[in-house]
């Protein structure tokens, strides 16, 4: 019950990390000349390739990436597996058990540590509001502590 209350509280104090899905045809309609570094992500052979760009417009042009996440790629754990915009649209998950550590977006202000929860698989963690990415296996307090310091 306390964990559920914590998750509800986190959802109230959080603001969503900006995820921008690139148009499939490479045309970008929401361009800004202001630099706002983003992590551009493209999936190649089941692996996410991440690269930092000056802004979403630059990253999405000519189909370089599928989607972008606010902030530089280096601001996230190297092993982070981000949710694609289509992952967030899945309504139902299977019961397959593949433990994941589900990390809340960096704008969540955690009341207690860690700033992540254990999930039985990627799909089930995607159903939790404000979870941005996962890492393999159950959450490790030492990794979470490293992540908290890195973001401050």
């Amino acid at each position: 019950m306390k964990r559920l209350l914590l998750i509800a509280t986190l959802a109230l104090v959080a603001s969503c990390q900006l995820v921008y899905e690139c148009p499939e045809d490479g045309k970008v309609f929401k361009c800004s000349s202001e630099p706002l570094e983003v992590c551009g992500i493209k999936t190649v052979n089941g692996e996410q390739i991440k690269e930092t760009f000056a802004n979403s417009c630059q990253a999405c042009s000519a189909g370089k990436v599928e989607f972008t996440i606010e902030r530089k790629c280096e601001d996230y754990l190297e092993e982070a597996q981000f949710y694609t915009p289509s992952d967030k649209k899945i309504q139902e998950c299977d019961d397959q058990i593949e433990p994941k550590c589900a990390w809340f977006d960096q704008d969540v202000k955690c009341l207690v540590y860690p700033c992540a929860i254990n999930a039985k698989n990627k799909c089930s963690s995607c159903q939790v509001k404000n979870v941005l990415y996962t890492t393999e296996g159950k959450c490790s307090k030492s990794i979470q502590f490293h992540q908290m310091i890195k973001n401050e």
Side-chain angles (χ1 to χ4, degrees):
M1 183 68 174
K2 287 182 180 180
R3 181 170 227 131
L4 185 60
L5 182 58
L6 173 62
I7 291 170
T9 304
L10 288 171
L12 289 174
V13 297
S15 61
C16 256
Q17 195 90 10
L18 180 62
V19 177
Y20 177 77
E21 187 171 18
C22 298
E24 288 183 26
D25 61 5
K27 294 180 182 175
V28 181
F29 300 102
K30 295 181 181 179
C31 284
S32 169
S33 60
E34 290 184 39
L36 173 64
E37 287 185 311
V38 297
C39 182
I41 301 167
K42 183 171 191 149
T43 304
V44 178
N45 298 325
E47 295 291 323
Q48 288 186 344
I49 308 299
K50 303 170 193 113
E51 183 180 346
T52 299
F53 293 88
N55 56 43
S56 288
C57 183
Q58 178 188 4
C60 291
S61 64
K64 292 179 185 175
V65 299
E66 297 163 11
F67 63 100
T68 63
I69 306 285
E70 195 174 79
R71 299 188 179 153
K72 301 183 291 188
C73 298
E74 297 79 20
D75 289 345
Y76 300 100
L77 292 173
E78 187 176 321
E79 64 271 18
Q81 291 298 301
F82 291 94
Y83 296 111
T84 67
S86 60
D87 287 340
K88 289 289 189 178
K89 296 175 187 171
I90 296 173
Q91 298 295 317
E92 206 170 301
C93 297
D94 62 28
D95 289 331
Q96 186 174 359
I97 297 180
E98 292 180 338
K100 303 288 182 192
C101 183
W103 297 85
F104 289 104
D105 65 34
Q106 293 184 11
D107 291 334
V108 169
K109 306 300 182 218
C110 293
L111 302 176
V112 295
Y113 295 111
C115 209
I117 59 170
N118 287 311
K120 69 178 177 181
N121 59 40
K122 184 175 178 177
C123 182
S124 66
S125 65
C126 187
Q127 304 296 315
V128 178
K129 185 175 181 166
N130 291 65
V131 168
L132 183 63
Y133 64 89
T134 62
T135 53
E136 290 295 320
K138 290 187 174 187
C139 299
S140 164
K141 290 183 182 183
S142 61
I143 291 174
Q144 293 161 0
F145 183 71
H146 168 74
Q147 180 70 10
M148 292 180 304
I149 291 173
K150 188 176 182 180
N151 293 331
E152 294 181 341

